[in-house]
Amino acid sequence: MLRKFGFSQYESQVYEVLASSSEPLDATLIVKYSGVPKAKIYEVLTRMVEKGLVLDSVSEKKKLYTALPLNLVIEKLTKEFEENISQLKNNTYQNNRSDDRVWSLKMDSSIQLQCKQLLQEAKHSIQISVWKEDFQAFLPILIEKEQSGVKVEALVVGDVQASTLSSLHILSPNEEHRRLEKNRLIIIDEETILFAGVENDAWQAMLTKSKPFVKFFVEFFYHDVVLTKVTKKYEDQLMKDEEFKHLLLRLRY
């Protein structure tokens, strides 16, 4: 009967021996009477103790085992079965498997269309980091989404006119910057990211919902925001310090 409740053959044999014994038994006697292999007995006993069907104790440096009385076992299994049925009735199955796939996308026109599509799908938040040319193209959608209640945070590389966005950070590149590369980063609802860059004069992008990537690029975005604000506020002092200047100009932003 125990096997019908998910217990193994060995577990059932161990319980039967202990339940029919008038006194506690050690592992050696359990092996003798149950037929469970000696190599398996401690593993089986540990599982039975964890499941609450076997009690253990140490007497005179010897570990002894006894079974939970059968009437209590029946009550325990009945209660657990009823609880599982109740939980099953109240639960609605949902497919929570995460999509870790990383999609590649090429061609600037296709990437821009995908960017606009993602922005339109945002329900809660948008973090976007782009160059000024792209920003102007995306601005109407960003304004519309913010007005609808979506939290929009934008970082723009290049001088742009002030917009109605409540959170806009502008990085004005220094002429000495050598590592600034055109790129696009869009994070939607902190669930989906699109990151695009130029390689060999051609745009390439990755699109993914992979949680490690999303987490990394969210931190990447705020790293750039902080760096932009610090550089803007203390640019005169930082650029006069050759060590800091050298480090700042090596950053990609």
Side-chain angles (χ1 to χ4, degrees):
M1 290 299 296
L2 287 179
R3 295 183 66 187
K4 292 183 179 180
F5 283 89
F7 293 87
S8 70
Q9 179 66 41
Y10 286 165
E11 289 171 340
S12 302
Q13 291 171 212
V14 165
Y15 181 81
E16 182 180 1
V17 167
L18 290 173
S20 61
S21 176
S22 59
E23 57 184 25
L25 302 177
D26 62 17
T28 301
L29 290 175
I30 297 173
V31 168
K32 179 180 179 180
Y33 297 131
S34 69
V36 175
K38 184 177 181 180
K40 293 284 187 179
I41 193 62
Y42 288 106
E43 176 187 335
V44 175
L45 285 168
T46 298
R47 289 203 304 266
M48 294 296 283
V49 170
E50 291 175 349
K51 292 177 179 181
L53 268 67
V54 169
L55 294 75
D56 62 348
S57 180
V58 176
S59 177
E60 298 179 357
K61 297 183 179 181
K62 181 182 290 187
K63 197 162 191 179
L64 299 177
Y65 301 87
T66 190
L68 188 72
L70 183 58
N71 64 312
L72 297 184
V73 170
I74 294 172
E75 185 177 344
K76 167 184 166 64
L77 295 179
T78 301
K79 183 179 180 181
E80 290 177 354
F81 180 77
E82 290 174 347
E83 289 175 349
N84 290 338
I85 290 295
S86 177
Q87 184 178 357
L88 185 61
K89 288 180 179 179
N90 294 329
N91 281 354
T92 302
Y93 175 75
Q94 292 182 343
N95 184 355
N96 292 321
R97 289 176 296 177
S98 60
D99 184 358
D100 292 330
R101 291 171 294 187
V102 178
W103 300 94
S104 297
L105 183 62
K106 297 184 179 180
M107 292 293 294
D108 184 30
S109 57
S110 297
I111 294 171
Q112 288 203 45
L113 288 173
Q114 182 66 74
C115 289
K116 291 181 179 180
Q117 177 67 28
L118 287 174
L119 293 174
Q120 292 285 10
E121 293 174 354
K123 294 180 175 62
H124 308 294
S125 65
I126 295 172
Q127 286 100 13
I128 180 171
S129 174
V130 292
W131 284 55
K132 61 180 181 179
E133 296 84 1
D134 289 326
F135 180 69
Q136 298 300 334
F138 298 146
L139 185 56
I141 302 176
L142 296 174
I143 293 174
E144 177 187 344
K145 298 305 286 189
E146 185 171 72
Q147 290 175 347
S148 70
V150 174
K151 181 181 179 181
V152 177
E153 297 175 275
L155 172 63
V156 182
V157 179
D159 295 322
V160 295
Q161 294 181 348
S163 74
T164 58
L165 292 178
S166 59
S167 181
L168 173 63
H169 310 279
I170 300 174
L171 169 64
S172 300
N174 188 293
E175 291 183 359
E176 297 180 76
H177 275 115
R178 294 289 181 266
R179 292 180 176 263
L180 282 175
E181 301 173 354
K182 284 195 173 183
N183 63 85
R184 300 169 185 144
L185 172 61
I186 295 177
I187 307 166
I188 302 301
D189 298 332
E190 295 197 6
E191 292 179 350
T192 307
I193 67 107
L194 182 147
F195 181 75
V198 179
E199 185 173 345
N200 298 325
D201 297 323
W203 279 93
Q204 298 187 44
M206 59 174 284
L207 176 66
T208 184
K209 291 179 179 290
S210 173
K211 291 181 180 179
F213 276 117
V214 173
K215 181 180 179 181
F216 171 81
F217 278 104
V218 169
E219 294 178 356
F220 183 86
F221 174 81
Y222 286 112
H223 158 275
D224 280 6
V225 169
V226 171
L227 196 57
T228 297
K229 291 175 74 70
V230 169
T231 302
K232 185 175 182 179
K233 188 171 183 178
Y234 301 104
E235 183 173 9
D236 291 341
Q237 297 96 310
L238 292 174
M239 288 303 174
K240 290 178 182 178
D241 187 308
E242 289 299 321
E243 181 181 1
F244 277 105
K245 179 180 178 181
H246 176 72
L247 291 172
L248 284 173
L249 295 180
R250 283 182 58 84
L251 295 174
R252 191 205 59 79
Y253 280 86

